[in-house]
């Protein structure tokens, strides 16, 4: 397998030229996030990714996790690697210094997380869920829970999980049956930790719990959805509980094991080194859990964690695409096969000389760069949504974050799967053989379009809650911003590549505007027609927004070339990928709009018996 090297040049370029690091560093509390500091952080993260995590990627895939006598065993090297991750303070980058975090921008944390996803996706899932648990607890937890759990979660000393799914309750969380009932405060069984807040007993079974048990940390903090007796049916009756693997002991120490049992370990298509558990709560009377916030508001609270997780999962699409691209690029540069079509009388050449192989490699590279730009841009918007001085400006940025999160999650993971699949194709028959390593990226990538809400659900959320509900105001404002770039592109229209990019982007944003207006008009009267083609609209928004960000990158590259500043080879390559994206991806915007507006009719009017 080829080695992984973090694409630091492109990461830094996108952070500075596309995602507006300067603007983020001007926000209150983020003044120390200078370009030099960010570059140093990325370099150190790149070293951990390439030297420690990436070599374990294949090991983890082959060994997997094992459940022995109720205990999960991790693959060789993972515990030591996690120790180095914790030692480096990587888990705490964006979090509050009051609890041990470093207070850095989410933009920076987003870029660093991409490195973990590329180097070892199975490993990255452990800190990714912990980040979500920290966000949830920070936003909704009591002071006592924060003081005890946040410092240990932020360091990574403990990890967090999300327990939602049950055998009968997948995407339909209203069907959750796990039960909870309050414990009398005078009960001697809870005397050691009575200061933590309202205690409950929890019984039930949860499935698909990522890192539900393992040997990397001394404690695991489960966030569990359960139903308190007497509450309403459906999602409105759900409450959220913090249920630790090990209960608090005297003086802040660890106490006894909670009433949680490992039932089984799932055998999965990919991410073999990530332990996915079936957990049973309360076999011996009820696991102890601490109420998060108020009863019957669990679904509201868990979405804080889920939205964070969805941004992180979008990064998995970026990361796995980058790793698959590097693997395919290295193979294509070494594999001798066939003769150059421009010199058929010559000898054998490496396959990257063949136009179709170059097309595949450029497709992998350009789409990965567009996904990266969208993820980093979203991270930048998140920083602004939390720290801009003006409340109206914060609301505007938050609306943009809310709009883009389902796109980052679904468009990036769908694209990541396709990029990994193309990587196999570049390898030819060797890509179908496990020993070359290309197949692992596709197997690992496949889950990202499924968990934390399938990509179809992301599309429904986009067209319903994010677009129709606000009558398209946020997406139309974004489209207006995209359209405004045309003036800048016109200033360099003498350059043929830039002229092509400008024309493709203009056509793409027109398609987005047209589809959005149709959505807003149609949703109230024919919701089935809109939802039947919702995935096409999501891909349209991702494709056009990605094209806009690639056009901005091309403008910055062109300016650098004109001034003779920077890595000129890198800048020329950036222009190539921006032009390729415009020619091969943006041109599909009109077709996506047509499929969305016209393709839903046949689906909506055809019953299950015709499928």
């Amino acid at each position: 397998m080829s080695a992984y090297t973090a694409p630091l040049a492109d990461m830094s370029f996108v952070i500075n030229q596309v995602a507006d690091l300067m603007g983020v560093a001007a926000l209150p509390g983020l003044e120390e996030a200078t370009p030099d500091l960010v570059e140093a952080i990325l370099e150190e993260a790149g070293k951990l990714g390439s030297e420690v995590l990436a070599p374990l990627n294949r090991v983890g895939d082959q060994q997997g996790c094992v459940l022995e006598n109720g205990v999960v065993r991790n693959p060789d090297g993972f515990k030591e690697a996690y120790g180095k991750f914790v030692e480096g303070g990587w888990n705490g980058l964006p979090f509050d210094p009051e609890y041990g975090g470093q207070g850095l921008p989410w933009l920076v944390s987003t870029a660093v997380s991409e490195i973990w996803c590329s180097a070892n996706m199975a490993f990255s899932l452990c800190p990714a869920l912990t980040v979500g648990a920290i966000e949830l607890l920070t936003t909704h937890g009591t002071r006592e829970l924060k003081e005890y759990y946040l410092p240990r979660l932020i360091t990574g000393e403990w990890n967090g999980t999300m327990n939602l799914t049950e055998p009968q309750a997948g995407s339909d969380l209203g069907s959750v049956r796990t039960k909870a009932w309050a414990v009398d405060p005078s009960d001697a069984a809870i005397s050691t930790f009575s200061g933590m807040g309202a205690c409950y007993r929890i019984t039930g079974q949860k499935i698909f719990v990522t890192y539900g048990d393992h040997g990397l940390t001394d404690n695991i903090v489960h966030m569990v959805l359960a139903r308190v007796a007497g509450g309403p049916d459906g999602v409105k009756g759900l409450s959220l509980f913090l249920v630790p693997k090990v209960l608090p002991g005297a003086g802040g120490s660890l106490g006894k094991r909670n009433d949680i049992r490992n039932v089984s370990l799932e055998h999965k298509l990919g991410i073999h080194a990530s332990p996915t558990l079936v957990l049973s709560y309360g076999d011996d009377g009820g696991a102890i859990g601490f109420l998060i916030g108020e009863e019957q508001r669990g679904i509201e609270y868990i979405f804080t964690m889920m939205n964070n997780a969805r941004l992180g999962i979008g990064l998995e699409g970026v990361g796995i695409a980058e790793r698959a691209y590097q693997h395919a690029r290295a193979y294509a540069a070494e594999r001798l096969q066939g003769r150059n079509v421009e010199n058929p009388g010559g000898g054998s050449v490496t396959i990257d000389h063949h136009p179709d192989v170059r097309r595949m490699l450029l497709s992998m590279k350009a789409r990965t760069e567009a996904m990266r730009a969208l993820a980093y841009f979203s991270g930048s918007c998140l920083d602004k949504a939390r720290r801009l001085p003006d409340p109206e400006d914060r609301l505007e940025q938050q609306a943009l974050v809310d709009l883009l999160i389902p796109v980052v999650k679904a468009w990036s993971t769908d694209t990541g799967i396709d990029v990994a699949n193309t990587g196999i194709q570049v390898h030819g028959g060797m890509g179908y053989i496990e020993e070359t390593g290309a197949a692992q990226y596709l197997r690992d990538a496949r889950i990202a379009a499924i968990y934390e809400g399938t990509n179809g659900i992301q599309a429904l959320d986009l067209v319903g809650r994010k677009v129709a509900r606000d009558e398209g105001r946020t997406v139309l404002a974004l489209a207006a911003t995209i359209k405004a770039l045309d003036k800048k592109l016109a200033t360099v229209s003498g350059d043929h590549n830039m002229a092509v990019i400008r024309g493709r982007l203009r056509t793409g944003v027109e398609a987005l505007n047209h589809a959005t207006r149709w959505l807003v008009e149609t949703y109230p009267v024919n919701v089935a027609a809109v939802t039947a083609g919702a995935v096409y609209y999501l891909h349209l928004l991702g494709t056009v927004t990605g094209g806009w960000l690639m056009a901005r990158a091309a403008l910055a590259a062109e300016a650098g070339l004109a001034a003779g500043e920077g890595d000129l080879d890198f800048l020329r390559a950036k222009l190539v990928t921006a032009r390729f994206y415009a020619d091969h991806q943006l041109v599909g915007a009109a077709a996506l709009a047509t499929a969305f507006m016209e393709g839903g009719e046949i689906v909506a009017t055809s019953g299950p018996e015709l499928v």
Side-chain angles (χ1 to χ4, degrees), residues 52 56 75-87 123 216:
V52 177
L56 296 176
D76 294 342
F78 271 65
K79 184 175 178 63
E80 294 77 11
Y82 190 79
K84 292 181 180 179
F85 176 85
V86 172
E87 183 181 344
F123 177 94
L216 307 185

Side-chain angles (χ1 to χ4, degrees), residues 180-325:
W181 65 94
V183 179
D184 189 322
S186 64
D187 190 331
I190 64 169
S191 60
T192 309
F193 38 82
S194 58
M196 290 290 175
C199 289
Y200 288 68
R201 293 280 184 182
I202 313 291
T203 61
Q205 186 180 95
K206 295 292 184 179
I207 64 173
F208 300 158
V209 183
T210 301
Y211 275 88
D213 194 36
H214 53 82
L216 307 185
T217 64
D218 294 331
N219 200 5
I220 301 171
V221 181
H222 301 293
M223 300 298 181
V224 182
L225 271 183
R227 193 176 299 281
V228 178
D233 294 335
V235 294
K236 293 182 179 180
L238 295 175
S239 301
L240 185 64
F241 302 89
L242 187 158
V243 187
K245 174 182 176 179
V246 183
L247 292 164
S253 64
L254 285 174
K256 65 178 183 178
R257 280 286 300 266
N258 209 345
D259 186 6
I260 307 170
R261 181 172 63 89
N262 298 329
V263 176
S264 62
L265 189 66
E266 304 291 3
H267 301 281
K268 308 185 298 292
L269 176 69
I271 53 168
H272 295 154
S274 170
T276 306
L277 273 291
V278 176
L279 297 180
S280 181
Y281 289 84
D283 288 359
D284 294 321
I288 292 291
F290 305 106
L291 180 67
I292 301 286
E294 302 174 9
E295 284 187 8
Q296 300 174 19
R297 295 182 65 185
I299 200 71
E300 172 192 344
Y301 300 148
I302 201 65
F303 264 95
T304 300
M305 187 172 183
M306 288 181 72
N307 282 334
N308 185 286
R310 286 168 178 176
L311 179 59
I313 290 166
L315 284 169
E316 292 174 15
V318 181
I320 210 73
E322 174 65 35
R323 188 72 188 272
Y325 163 70

Side-chain angles (χ1 to χ4, degrees), residues 100-255:
Q102 299 180 39
L104 287 165
W106 279 99
L107 169 59
V108 177
S109 177
T110 298
V112 169
S113 295
E114 182 202 324
I115 294 175
W116 313 146
C117 293
S118 276
N120 194 320
M121 181 174 158
F123 177 94
S124 75
L125 288 168
C126 182
L129 284 166
T130 304
V131 165
I134 294 167
E135 277 281 278
L136 189 155
L137 199 54
T138 299
T139 307
H140 304 295
T142 63
R143 179 178 57 83
E144 294 80 8
L145 288 176
K146 290 179 184 179
E147 289 179 352
Y148 185 74
Y149 286 101
L150 277 181
R152 295 167 173 88
L153 288 168
I154 286 173
T155 62
E157 178 185 351
W158 298 348
N159 77 289
T161 75
M162 184 166 17
N163 288 233
L164 311 183
T165 310
E166 299 177 5
Q168 79 293 339
S171 300
D172 180 13
L173 292 177
S175 300
V176 163
R177 295 175 185 162
T178 297
K179 296 179 181 178
W181 65 94
V183 179
D184 189 322
S186 64
D187 190 331
I190 64 169
S191 60
T192 309
F193 38 82
S194 58
M196 290 290 175
C199 289
Y200 288 68
R201 293 280 184 182
I202 313 291
T203 61
Q205 186 180 95
K206 295 292 184 179
I207 64 173
F208 300 158
V209 183
T210 301
Y211 275 88
D213 194 36
H214 53 82
L216 307 185
T217 64
D218 294 331
N219 200 5
I220 301 171
V221 181
H222 301 293
M223 300 298 181
V224 182
L225 271 183
R227 193 176 299 281
V228 178
D233 294 335
V235 294
K236 293 182 179 180
L238 295 175
S239 301
L240 185 64
F241 302 89
L242 187 158
V243 187
K245 174 182 176 179
V246 183
L247 292 164
S253 64
L254 285 174

